[in-house]
Amino acid sequence: MKIAVKINDVQREFSITPGETLLELLRREGYKGVKKGCETGDCGACAVLLDGRAVNSCLVLAAKVDGHTVVTVEGLEKNGELAPLQEAFLDTGAVQCGYCTPGMLIAATDLLAHNPDPSEEEIKEAISGNLCRCTGYVKQVEAIKLAVQRMRGGEDA
Amino acid sequence: MPSREEERREFNVVKHGARKVDGVSLVTGRPKFTADMDLPDTLYVRILRSPHAHARIVEIDTSEAEAMPGVALVLTHKNTPTRRFTTAGQGYPEPSPYDTRMFDTKVRFVGDRVAAVAAESREIAEAAVKAIKVTYEELPAVLSIDAALAPDAPVIHDEDDSAGIYDAARNIVADVDIDVGDVEKGFAESDVIVETVCELQYAQHTPIEPHVVLSYLDPDGRLVLRTATQVPFHVRRIVAYALDYPLHNIRVIKPRIGGGFGTKQEILLEDIAALTTLRTRRPALIELTRPEEFVAARTRHPMRVRVKLGAKPDGTLHAMEMEAISNTGAYGSHGLTVLSNTGSKTLPLYNKAENVHFYGKAVYTNLPVAGAYRGYGATQGYFALETAMDELAEKLGLDPVELRRRNHIRAGETSPIFVKLGEGREGVEQIIKSCELERCIEIGMARIGWAEKRGKKIREGSWVHGLGMAVHMQGSGIPQIDMAAATIKMNEDGSFNLLVGATDIGTGSDTILGQIAAEVLGVPLEKIIVYSSDTDFTPFDVGAYASSTTYVSGMAVKRAAEKVRSQIVDVAAHVLDADPETLSLGDEGVHAPNGKSVSLAEVCHYAMYKSDQFQIAATASFVPEESPPPFVASFAEVAVDTETGFVKVVKFVTAVDCGTPINPVLAEGQMEGALANGIGYALTEEMLFSSRGRVRNPNLFDYKILGALDIPPIEVILVDSYEPTGPMGAKSIGEIGINAPIPTIANAIYDAVGIRLRRTPFTPERVLKAMRNKE
Amino acid sequence: MTLTKVSEFVRPRNLTEAFSLLEEKKARIIAGGIDVILFPTPAERLIDITALPLSGIEGGEEGVSIGATTTMTELLESPVLRGYLNGAVCEMLRQVASPLQRNLATVGGSLMIGHPWSDLITLFLVIGADVTYFDGEEHEVPIDRFYAENIHRRRVILTGINFPAVRRGTAAAFIKFSRTAFDIALLNCAALVETADGRCTAARIAVGGTPRRAKLLVRAAAELAGKPLSEEVVVQAARAAQDEAEVGDDIRASADYRRELVGVGVYRVLSRIRERLEGSA
């Protein structure tokens, strides 16, 4: 079947099988920033924004996104500029192996879009479906806090 | 001799929390991981795995699978090389037994390889795997350490072509027994004795990226393995051996890796991918699914460790005995060396004891295969040792901190264990040259509030608070075995290519090695172009394991940079017409005392184009003579729910002596990650088995690793020391952190509710049961 | 992982069309789609009902009605639910799965699959929710009957869930025991108590993930009838719950441990309700 999806601000059409997942479609179409870690919605490495909300793309059938909007980690940069969250992840050492990073950034993007001034607990909750085995989450929470601060025009932490 | 800058311990690039050199590509999701490369005509490979814990393969019928449209190749024991090898990626000759065949006629655990199918798609490969008909003759299975050691136990490795097994007929992979002094006499002379037995569970690394390999032939017909590995050079050697294929025709590339923690120090898929590509002349991709990762990758060695301590009334340890029985699973990967490290990385910490006995066995069982896992035996040893120390302190009426202070090793001291016990062989003598454990303890005590809170059993409803502590050491590489090399070449804009075999698996080693080179060459980190882990283009390095990269690979980089620096100075001396001895490097130039200078770009231009032309470049190697340990003092505050047994870690503090932190942000990250992993190991993580040896929780839904909401406030304090044998004073800290949580939390639980937990993980159910039994 | 059995994905224009598509062949309703992927059936046709007008939250203290395709995140962010029963529904939902999954999962999908560990069912049982479904015509049944009669296993389309009006002097609470924050329950527990003049006039207590699906504990709730919600009464009810609850073993916990948790859980939800009632009095 054919579907039309807006991905990272570009309107695209794909030919898909009705049983394939959004994760499979995106990786096949070259969005390799979307990572496969478990295929059961437990690790969050495959997270993308679907109509602005972060979801596990392994738990979404590609057919379902027909007519909807998807943003992957590749779409977070704007005009060649890194997003504040991406900069903050680099500055705080929140990236180690980087495999969970795209999903983590997507979850954090959803959070900040709906809650521009989250508490530490809300930050942790927002990324609680994104597993990371390298960092212990310490620096990722720090990174999101730093991004919040910068986006509100405050001083660097 | 340390240079002047080092003596001042002031650096321009080192000791700064530089951004990772691969950071931008990772936050933007660039296709840098193994499976991110699409090649036309790639075959997808799936593996048929044994449903039985122990069985002989009587017959395999692959005809139906082979006839399926889209199936390109089916591999079984009938059409693959039969040479036995070890999957353990270690230095050569490997201390692990050659007990593994590509595909065997016998299966030894649920999940063991039976066959592989390469097909046009994953779906076809999966369907074809199901179409293979196998007749098994089931054998009695060995599902525990005790069953393996029983007098009439079934023999797991009864084949006659394995090598390097200590006693195959008794299921014993390895046996270690070393003595210092006379431990029996030592106990007889001791005034206070404690003895404790601790057991550790089956646990999994769970890197977020499962094992994956992509193999293909390059245009010249050479085999390329792009693989998620910690040990690219060992992969090349072992695949060449297993397939009896010329090493020079294999190139191994390690792209970005989604975490390793030891499980990728193992050749799990590369042999199958290689053979598929060689047979079909097509690219082949193998990705483990998450359930396969649980069943068929590697685990930590579950262990039973008994520790007996004898002390004088003032708390001085006089005799120490440690016995470890390790379960290596169906194959002997890392069996001997993990067992050795259980003693060698723990017992030297308390060097006051004159009488020490360490002995143990690693045994085969029909359970998943254990392998290297961050901590590598030390984690297991410290649970028992630091629990016993806590018990001893109580018996002596001493503060647990004080007992450690009276016994721990210090700078200028040695331990006889260093010589007696190495990794699977005799060790190397070493005198500790840097140790700030005393300061680590002091800082940790202050940050956790030891004096105010310990022993107070502060109540909050049904929750009771307690404090615990423990101390630890590890090592920095394997002395006289590990080898690392680095090549640096200069470009005419004053930049440098740094080529290292060292394997960045997410640790940030590309970055810290770049920082070391930049420091020596007097350039900013941006001028170092780091390329790592490609067997065709980078010099040899054993890989990322044994906490070796910062110390061992770091020294190789430093040496290579120093060679290049001296070439630069020689050229500059020509240009400036000055005595090379008087010249100094810095700010991307070479400076003479008379104020004249020449930029590095000019130096390189001169060497390349002007006179006595040559490439400014050098390669250097490093083999460590010793393994300077990092030290950690860890402190935890926990709260235990007396009604449900839930344990909440309120705060976890570690102070760590890692020498000079080359990149403090990355060093903290190593500690934080290891602690989080260790806290999960202490509290929730456990592989569970059916009565027939099948993993019952092979997924991240049932096997719980900690998420962001589960992590307590973690405080890591880097306590500066200076290791004179390390690069810029550095030691390695990739592993040590993971040793801390189990004993620290166990001791804190004891402080809170008076129960000693000797079996991990400390699940609410176990804690509650122990509390009830105490009542 | 591709669902290889699926050959057709359709978006009907109305309920009647959706239902007739469901009747024709091996078909399955899909909303958020999580369980369609994680728990595949031989279904060849998937019928996406998320384009139908089945999403939304309406009402207040006088009762709430929720459309089947409303996501958990929409529920969590709804001011209506924050104000209903001291926000007990939000208290529960915050502990369900992960935000990534809550952005996908719909209340209808969750109730149709009816996982034994479901946190929603446990709370909805004590709220006394009604389930509405369509099988050619509209039906509304109490949630306990919905499961007792296995309606969720039938060929029906769940269309919504309704919560009753809340009388003055009513409070509810939910508690979940799990190994980590993002995990299913070792055991979950909910209660709702209505009081008048300081005495309990009606009460419902439920435990779920036992490891079977939640059930109302009728005898435990009866312990509260006509009595003030005192410490002593709460303890009695907790003890009665331990006797009444059917608990079993699985990889997460033993039956014995679960029985301990039933006692603690019921005690804690009732204590929390006590605090809430005192707080609002």
Side-chain angles (χ1 to χ4, degrees):
Chain A
M1 61 186 285
K2 286 239 186 308
I3 60 167
V5 198
K6 192 171 186 185
I7 302 187
N8 300 339
D9 281 334
V10 179
Q11 190 63 42
R12 300 200 53 181
E13 273 194 33
F14 302 110
S15 181
I16 62 159
T17 61
E20 75 179 299
T21 64
L22 179 58
L23 167 63
E24 290 169 308
L25 170 69
L26 290 171
R27 284 194 59 85
R28 171 156 54 76
E29 292 297 331
Y31 301 93
K32 304 290 190 188
V34 186
K35 297 296 179 217
K36 181 161 73 178
C38 68
E39 296 183 285
T40 50
D42 294 303
C43 79
C46 68
V48 300
L49 295 176
L50 174 56
D51 298 332
R53 302 309 301 234
V55 302
N56 308 93
S57 65
C58 70
L59 296 182
V60 178
L61 286 181
K64 268 195 63 78
V65 304
D66 186 19
H68 293 265
T69 302
V70 171
V71 176
T72 70
V73 68
E74 288 93 341
L76 296 182
E77 271 174 285
K78 290 277 175 280
N79 310 318
E81 298 256 317
L82 295 183
L85 273 166
Q86 291 171 309
E87 294 279 2
F89 267 59
L90 293 174
D91 287 336
T92 53
V95 182
Q96 281 193 33
C97 82
Y99 201 80
C100 75
T101 305
M104 204 64 88
L105 286 167
I106 290 289
T109 302
D110 177 354
L111 171 72
L112 300 193
H114 295 90
N115 181 0
D117 189 17
S119 66
E120 177 160 334
E121 199 61 14
E122 286 168 333
I123 292 173
K124 288 181 175 177
E125 186 182 327
I127 57 168
S128 63
N130 298 80
L131 296 179
C132 168
R133 197 57 150 170
C134 295
T135 65
Y137 311 98
V138 180
K139 301 215 181 314
Q140 290 161 341
V141 172
E142 211 179 293
I144 297 169
K145 281 188 194 165
L146 178 62
V148 168
Q149 214 171 6
R150 287 177 178 173
M151 287 161 78
R152 295 168 67 214
E155 289 294 295
D156 283 12
Chain B
M1 279 293 289
S3 68
R4 271 176 298 139
E5 298 96 311
E6 284 169 19
E7 277 164 9
R8 281 191 280 119
R9 298 180 196 181
E10 280 167 17
F11 304 100
N12 294 316
V13 189
V14 156
K15 232 176 154 179
H16 289 81
R19 280 185 173 198
K20 285 186 70 185
V21 295
D22 51 351
V24 171
S25 65
L26 293 172
V27 297
T28 50
R30 300 279 177 268
K32 299 203 56 165
F33 292 84
T34 303
D36 293 347
M37 192 161 103
D38 290 327
L39 292 173
D41 292 327
T42 299
L43 290 168
Y44 202 98
V45 180
R46 296 289 299 145
I47 296 166
L48 174 64
R49 300 187 176 280
S50 168
H52 303 296
H54 199 189
R56 258 175 232 295
I57 295 172
V58 179
E59 184 47 52
I60 301 186
D61 179 359
T62 57
S63 52
E64 197 183 314
E66 277 163 346
M68 287 172 70
V71 171
L73 180 70
V74 179
L75 297 173
T76 69
H77 70 83
K78 294 178 182 173
N79 60 356
T80 50
T82 58
R83 229 180 205 193
R84 287 196 189 271
F85 58 97
T86 177
T87 59
Q90 300 176 286
Y92 183 81
E94 302 90 344
S96 297
Y98 281 29
D99 59 1
T100 307
R101 264 180 66 172
M102 258 190 98
F103 295 93
D104 212 337
T105 52
K106 187 177 167 180
V107 287
R108 296 179 180 82
F109 69 102
V110 177
D112 207 350
R113 286 179 182 182
V114 174
V117 175
E120 302 295 336
S121 73
R122 172 174 169 177
E123 287 69 30
I124 297 171
E126 258 160 28
V129 158
K130 286 189 189 125
I132 297 172
K133 292 184 195 72
V134 188
T135 314
Y136 297 95
E137 177 202 342
E138 270 194 80
L139 301 168
V142 173
L143 299 177
S144 69
I145 285 174
D146 294 323
L149 291 172
D152 51 353
V155 178
I156 295 168
H157 283 272
D158 53 353
E159 66 276 5
D160 55 14
D161 57 342
S162 280
I165 302 172
Y166 177 77
D167 186 349
R170 290 166 58 216
N171 292 323
I172 301 173
V173 180
D175 184 283
V176 175
D177 197 331
I178 62 118
D179 263 309
V180 172
D182 181 342
V183 84
E184 285 314 314
K185 197 165 148 268
F187 284 123
E189 293 163 358
S190 295
D191 298 273
V192 181
I193 289 174
V194 296
E195 187 167 2
T196 196
V197 181
C198 291
E199 271 192 69
L200 296 103
Q201 78 277 32
Y202 252 104
Q204 239 262 345
H205 311 68
T206 67
I208 307 303
E209 176 201 43
H211 285 79
V212 53
V213 57
L214 175 66
S215 61
Y216 55 94
L217 296 177
D218 75 10
D220 297 320
R222 288 176 74 244
L223 177 69
V224 183
L225 295 169
R226 179 180 157 100
T227 182
T229 185
Q230 298 173 226
V231 286
F233 286 89
H234 296 335
V235 167
R236 183 177 64 167
R237 189 190 72 241
I238 292 172
V239 169
Y241 176 84
L243 302 187
D244 196 11
Y245 188 74
L247 184 137
H248 70 265
N249 274 339
I250 303 174
R251 174 182 173 195
V252 177
I253 300 170
K254 176 222 66 93
R256 292 297 97 186
I257 298 304
F261 317 109
T263 192
K264 290 173 181 167
Q265 193 193 334
E266 203 81 21
I267 285 67
L268 287 187
L269 304 172
E270 290 90 344
D271 55 332
I272 297 180
L275 194 60
T276 303
T277 292
L278 291 174
R279 292 256 169 99
T280 62
R281 316 302 289 174
R282 292 175 63 178
L285 176 69
I286 317 182
E287 302 173 283
L288 286 191
T289 62
R290 184 58 62 181
E292 277 181 302
E293 185 72 24
F294 271 98
V295 170
R298 293 296 178 251
T299 72
R300 186 181 293 284
H301 283 78
M303 247 186 236
R304 185 188 300 153
V305 184
R306 185 181 61 84
V307 165
K308 188 175 174 185
L309 302 176
K312 296 291 186 186
D314 68 351
T316 310
L317 285 170
H318 189 59
M320 296 168 51
E321 183 168 66
M322 182 185 276
E323 177 192 8
I325 312 287
S326 171
N327 177 356
T328 192
Y331 297 92
S333 169
H334 299 270
L336 169 63
T337 38
V338 164
L339 175 65
S340 304
N341 272 19
T342 303
S344 72
K345 294 282 184 261
T346 56
L347 297 171
L349 182 59
Y350 298 124
N351 65 334
K352 307 298 176 285
E354 292 158 16
N355 308 287
V356 186
H357 185 204
F358 173 76
Y359 66 109
K361 291 176 175 58
V363 304
Y364 284 122
T365 59
N366 293 116
L367 288 169
V369 185
Y373 191 159
R374 199 175 208 176
Y376 206 80
T379 313
Q380 291 92 317
Y382 276 115
F383 180 23
L385 180 60
E386 287 299 279
T387 298
M389 284 296 279
D390 221 54
E391 290 180 68
L392 181 62
E394 189 182 19
K395 235 175 161 176
L396 286 162
L398 272 180
D399 186 313
V401 168
E402 190 50 36
L403 179 64
R404 267 97 174 175
R405 279 185 164 150
R406 291 185 188 176
N407 286 286
H408 75 71
I409 198 165
R410 286 170 163 73
E413 297 180 356
T414 185
S415 157
I417 309 286
F418 287 137
V419 183
K420 287 270 182 172
L421 188 57
E423 279 213 25
R425 62 175 203 178
E426 281 195 355
V428 172
E429 191 175 344
Q430 74 172 349
I431 290 167
I432 299 297
K433 297 180 182 65
S434 60
C435 176
E436 290 292 343
L437 185 52
E438 198 53 45
R439 268 179 60 217
C440 292
I441 291 173
E442 236 169 73
I443 293 169
M445 281 174 81
R447 295 289 174 94
I448 201 77
W450 185 257
E452 307 85 71
K453 292 185 186 165
R454 186 175 171 273
K456 300 293 190 299
K457 298 187 192 300
I458 297 161
R459 267 194 168 270
E460 253 184 308
S462 60
W463 296 81
V464 184
H465 288 245
L467 255 54
M469 68 88 61
V471 295
H472 323 267
M473 58 170 263
Q474 194 89 22
S476 300
I478 312 171
Q480 297 179 0
I481 290 179
D482 279 349
M483 201 283 260
T487 298
I488 297 176
K489 71 180 179 69
M490 193 174 191
N491 303 311
E492 62 261 57
D493 65 346
S495 68
F496 299 87
N497 291 100
L498 169 62
L499 308 171
V500 288
T503 310
D504 192 334
I505 54 173
T507 50
S509 68
D510 283 357
T511 306
I512 64 123
L513 295 176
Q515 285 179 271
I516 291 170
E519 186 70 44
V520 174
L521 294 166
V523 296
L525 180 56
E526 298 75 53
K527 286 292 172 76
I528 308 288
I529 307 146
V530 187
Y531 184 67
S532 61
S533 317
D534 178 333
T535 57
D536 267 13
F537 293 99
T538 63
F540 178 83
D541 190 296
V542 289
Y545 60 87
S547 298
S548 60
T549 306
T550 300
Y551 182 71
V552 182
S553 310
M555 276 306 280
V557 170
K558 180 167 176 271
R559 285 181 173 184
E562 283 165 352
K563 283 185 178 179
V564 168
R565 181 173 64 184
S566 97
Q567 292 174 18
I568 292 170
V569 168
D570 285 346
V571 174
H574 264 280
V575 177
L576 295 171
D577 193 19
D579 174 4
E581 293 294 310
T582 64
L583 297 181
S584 64
L585 239 78
D587 296 329
E588 304 187 56
V590 184
H591 315 286
N594 62 5
K596 282 214 270 182
S597 36
V598 57
S599 74
L600 291 185
E602 286 164 338
V603 168
C604 192
H605 264 276
Y606 189 86
M608 274 185 181
Y609 303 115
K610 285 217 168 130
S611 146
D612 298 329
Q613 285 145 277
F614 77 112
Q615 166 73 57
I616 295 177
T619 295
S621 304
F622 183 70
V623 178
E625 283 304 314
E626 47 198 270
S627 180
F631 295 94
V632 160
S634 54
F635 293 81
E637 178 179 350
V638 305
V640 182
D641 185 349
T642 51
E643 292 175 353
T644 62
F646 272 82
V647 175
K648 190 166 89 185
V649 179
V650 179
K651 189 176 183 185
F652 205 99
V653 173
T654 54
V656 54
D657 161 12
C658 63
T660 302
I662 300 291
N663 183 318
V665 172
L666 294 176
E668 282 169 13
Q670 282 298 300
M671 284 299 294
E672 289 159 0
L675 291 171
N677 188 340
I679 295 169
Y681 186 35
L683 296 181
T684 68
E685 296 182 31
E686 180 169 26
M687 290 169 72
L688 301 167
F689 297 94
S690 75
S691 60
R692 305 189 54 174
R694 183 181 56 81
V695 181
R696 295 177 70 200
N697 53 347
N699 53 65
L700 294 169
F701 183 78
D702 290 319
Y703 181 101
K704 274 299 163 192
I705 73 172
L706 302 186
L709 281 169
D710 307 309
I711 299 291
I714 289 177
E715 207 177 317
V716 172
I717 302 112
L718 303 178
V719 178
D720 251 32
S721 75
Y722 190 88
E723 172 54 44
T725 67
M728 278 95 190
K731 301 187 274 191
S732 293
I733 52 158
E735 296 179 273
I736 186 166
I738 204 166
N739 302 336
I742 291 179
T744 310
I745 291 170
N747 292 340
I749 292 172
Y750 183 77
D751 186 49
V753 294
I755 53 165
R756 286 270 172 222
L757 295 167
R758 302 173 209 277
R759 169 87 175 79
T760 48
F762 311 139
T763 62
E765 185 160 0
R766 284 200 181 110
V767 173
L768 190 68
K769 203 181 234 172
M771 283 192 286
R772 291 283 151 83
N773 288 343
K774 191 194 156 218
E775 287 162 13
Chain C
M1 234 170 308
T2 299
L3 302 173
T4 46
K5 296 253 177 359
V6 173
S7 56
E8 198 187 345
F9 187 96
V10 290
R11 280 184 176 152
R13 280 154 301 176
N14 55 54
L15 260 185
T16 314
E17 188 191 345
F19 186 69
S20 64
L21 285 164
L22 185 60
E23 280 196 311
E24 278 168 19
K25 60 191 229 181
K26 283 182 190 163
R28 187 175 183 181
I29 299 292
I30 179 168
I34 294 178
D35 293 319
V36 171
I37 291 174
L38 292 182
F39 303 93
T41 63
E44 293 161 11
R45 172 191 286 164
L46 296 179
I47 305 156
D48 182 4
I49 58 166
T50 51
L52 303 184
L54 290 175
S55 171
I57 306 153
E58 281 169 21
E61 290 282 296
E62 72 281 9
V64 178
S65 75
I66 300 167
T69 62
T70 313
T71 67
M72 307 240 181
T73 299
E74 286 162 349
L75 294 180
L76 252 175
E77 292 175 354
S78 144
V80 173
L81 284 175
R82 247 176 273 151
Y84 184 80
L85 271 176
N86 338 80
V89 177
C90 301
E91 174 179 48
M92 175 272 296
L93 284 171
R94 194 156 291 120
Q95 300 175 62
V96 174
S98 68
L100 300 177
Q101 292 194 16
R102 293 198 295 260
N103 284 337
L104 279 175
T106 64
V107 63
S110 175
L111 295 177
M112 274 307 275
I113 192 105
H115 287 305
W117 57 79
S118 168
D119 298 324
L120 281 75
I121 296 171
T122 308
L123 181 65
F124 291 179
L125 277 170
V126 304
I127 288 177
D130 286 335
V131 176
T132 60
Y133 65 91
F134 185 85
D135 60 1
E137 50 190 294
E138 298 268 3
H139 301 267
E140 178 162 359
V141 294
I143 188 166
D144 53 344
R145 243 185 72 200
F146 185 72
Y147 292 111
E149 295 174 13
N150 277 316
I151 297 171
H152 66 300
R153 293 270 172 268
R154 294 191 213 152
R155 207 166 269 221
V156 302
I157 300 173
L158 195 149
T159 51
I161 182 124
N162 298 323
F163 298 153
V166 179
R167 295 202 194 115
R168 275 177 62 93
T170 302
F174 171 86
I175 203 166
K176 173 178 178 175
F177 298 103
S178 59
R179 299 171 302 173
T180 63
F182 175 20
D183 190 14
I184 62 168
L186 297 172
L187 190 102
N188 57 34
C189 198
L192 176 142
V193 179
E194 290 180 20
T195 57
D197 303 326
R199 287 173 187 278
C200 301
T201 50
R204 280 184 292 273
I205 300 171
V207 294
T210 58
R212 294 201 286 177
R213 191 186 302 125
K215 276 192 179 153
L216 287 166
L217 301 181
V218 182
R219 292 201 299 277
E223 288 289 329
L224 305 177
K227 297 176 193 163
L229 199 58
S230 64
E231 170 77 12
E232 193 191 339
V233 169
V234 167
V235 170
Q236 275 168 8
R239 231 174 257 147
Q242 278 187 306
D243 290 340
E244 186 179 0
E246 292 168 34
V247 287
D249 296 305
D250 68 358
I251 58 166
R252 282 174 173 73
S254 71
D256 285 347
Y257 182 66
R258 284 202 165 91
R259 196 168 296 288
E260 296 277 355
L261 290 184
V262 170
V264 178
V266 169
Y267 174 83
R268 288 183 185 175
V269 283
L270 290 176
S271 300
R272 201 176 287 172
I273 286 171
R274 236 175 103 193
E275 284 166 28
R276 284 177 183 174
L277 287 171
E278 280 163 14
S280 64

